[in-house]
């Protein structure tokens, strides 16, 4: 059963998160809904594809591999069945009455950082249902089952700098009465503007490439005017970690323009063939393409 989850505003500018492909980012958010309250979910690429990306032509196995490579999730086995777990899930998701659906070993409980939840609640959290015997699949295992080279660290290690806020403590909901939360942090988080945060992240990215703040802002504004906010933001996100982000972004924007031009030309050619053959049309999707040309 899918569950309602919270998204911290710091997620949108987290370096690990923005380095993922768009569909991997979307699947990662969707997996939160599929998790039980302890951060585990059933490892079934087919079911995850149907539940989270039913209308998209994507490879769920490849997306899960990408999330494993980024150390956002892990895969493990218990009782002869395969499950997944979200890293530091319990640090950021805090249901009032948590329920456990899937078994977890001690290593998995460390991976989801269950101690962070019990510490903030001011008491010990009752353990989930009895864990069936079974060996853990290391977090670095591919979705298809083949071993992947580890980047270092033991399986199930506690990690401090983790999605969604790069190590920042999740702010506590008022109705849950956590007095340990800094009110100033709460105020900043509640007033966060995702668009502004992404714009500022773009300015910072260009600043690292040697541009002044004024020049970076002017350049992003120019891209907004020429290509629109959506295309520009997507290009900026894809440039994270690139040695030459300005060149990368401009190349991505030029590619998008060229692709649209080719699609419009193909639409016009098809429509002309329809007219020459006296066939009613062109189809609705082609007419829409022409209207936007």
């Amino acid at each position: 059963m899918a569950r309602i989850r919270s998204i911290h505003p710091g997620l949108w500018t987290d370096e690990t998160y923005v380095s993922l492909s768009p569909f991997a980012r979307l699947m990662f958010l969707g997996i939160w809904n599929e998790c039980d309250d302890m951060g585990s979910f059933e490892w079934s690429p087919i079911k995850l594809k149907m539940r989270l990306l039913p209308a998209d032509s994507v490879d769920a196995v490849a997306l899960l591999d990408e999330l494993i490579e980024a150390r956002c999730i892990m895969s493990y086995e218990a009782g002869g069945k395969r499950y997944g777990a979200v890293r530091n899930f319990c640090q950021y998701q805090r249901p009032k009455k948590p329920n456990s659906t899937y078994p977890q070993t001690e290593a998995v409980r460390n991976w989801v950082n269950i101690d962070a939840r019990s510490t903030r609640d001011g008491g010990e959290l009752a353990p989930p249902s009895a864990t069936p015997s079974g060996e853990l699949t290391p977090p670095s295992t591919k979705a298809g089952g083949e071993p992947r080279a580890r980047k270092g660290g033991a399986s199930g290690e506690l990690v401090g700098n983790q999605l969604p806020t790069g190590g920042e403590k999740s702010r506590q909901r008022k109705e849950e009465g956590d007095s340990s939360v800094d009110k100033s942090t709460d105020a900043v988080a509640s007033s966060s503007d995702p668009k502004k945060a992404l714009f500022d992240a773009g300015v910072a990215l260009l600043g690292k490439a040697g541009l002044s703040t004024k020049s970076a802002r002017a350049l992003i504004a120019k891209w907004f005017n020429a290509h629109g906010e959506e295309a520009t933001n997507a290009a900026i996100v894809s440039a994270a970690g690139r040695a030459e982000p300005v060149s990368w972004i401009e190349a991505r924007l030029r590619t998008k323009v060229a692709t649209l031009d080719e699609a419009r030309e193909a639409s016009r050619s098809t429509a002309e063939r329809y007219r020459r053959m006296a066939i009613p049309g062109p189809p609705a999707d082609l007419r829409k393409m022409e209207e936007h040309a």
Side-chain angles (χ1 to χ4, degrees), residues 79-265:
K81 294 185 178 181
R82 195 170 184 188
Y83 304 96
V86 174
R87 189 180 182 189
N88 275 359
F89 181 89
C90 294
Q91 184 174 346
Y92 301 102
Q93 305 297 329
R94 299 191 56 209
K96 291 183 179 180
K97 298 180 179 179
N99 295 311
S100 173
T101 303
Y102 306 110
Q104 292 183 333
T105 67
E106 186 62 28
V108 177
R109 287 165 66 83
N110 287 340
W111 179 263
V112 300
N113 205 355
I114 199 167
D115 289 341
R117 179 185 290 172
S118 61
T119 300
R120 286 202 309 273
D121 285 340
E124 292 300 320
L125 186 68
S129 56
T131 303
S133 59
E135 293 297 324
L136 269 177
T137 300
S140 56
T141 300
K142 285 186 177 181
E146 303 86 352
R148 185 192 297 277
R150 294 183 58 83
K151 293 185 176 180
S155 173
E157 62 182 336
L158 280 170
V159 183
N161 188 19
Q162 168 55 18
L163 292 173
T165 61
E168 176 191 355
K169 287 188 177 180
S170 172
R171 65 185 181 93
Q172 176 58 31
R173 295 176 180 174
K174 292 181 179 179
E175 63 269 19
E176 292 184 65
D178 187 353
S179 59
S180 64
V181 177
D182 187 332
K183 293 182 179 180
S184 62
T185 302
D186 187 47
V188 172
S190 62
S191 62
S192 177
D193 182 350
K195 287 188 176 181
K196 183 179 184 303
L198 187 54
F199 184 89
D200 291 343
V203 171
L205 179 66
L206 299 186
K208 293 180 180 179
L211 274 68
S212 66
T213 300
K214 182 178 180 180
S215 298
R217 288 180 175 275
L219 184 56
I220 294 176
K222 177 183 176 181
W223 290 334
F224 278 174
N225 292 332
H227 305 284
E229 290 189 19
E230 183 178 354
T232 301
N233 286 337
I236 289 174
V237 168
S238 70
R242 303 287 175 179
E244 299 291 341
V246 175
S247 300
W248 173 269
I249 292 170
E250 291 182 339
R252 287 291 296 267
L253 294 174
R254 286 196 299 271
T255 300
K256 183 175 180 62
V257 170
T259 301
L260 288 175
D261 288 343
E262 291 177 3
R264 288 166 181 161
E265 183 59 33

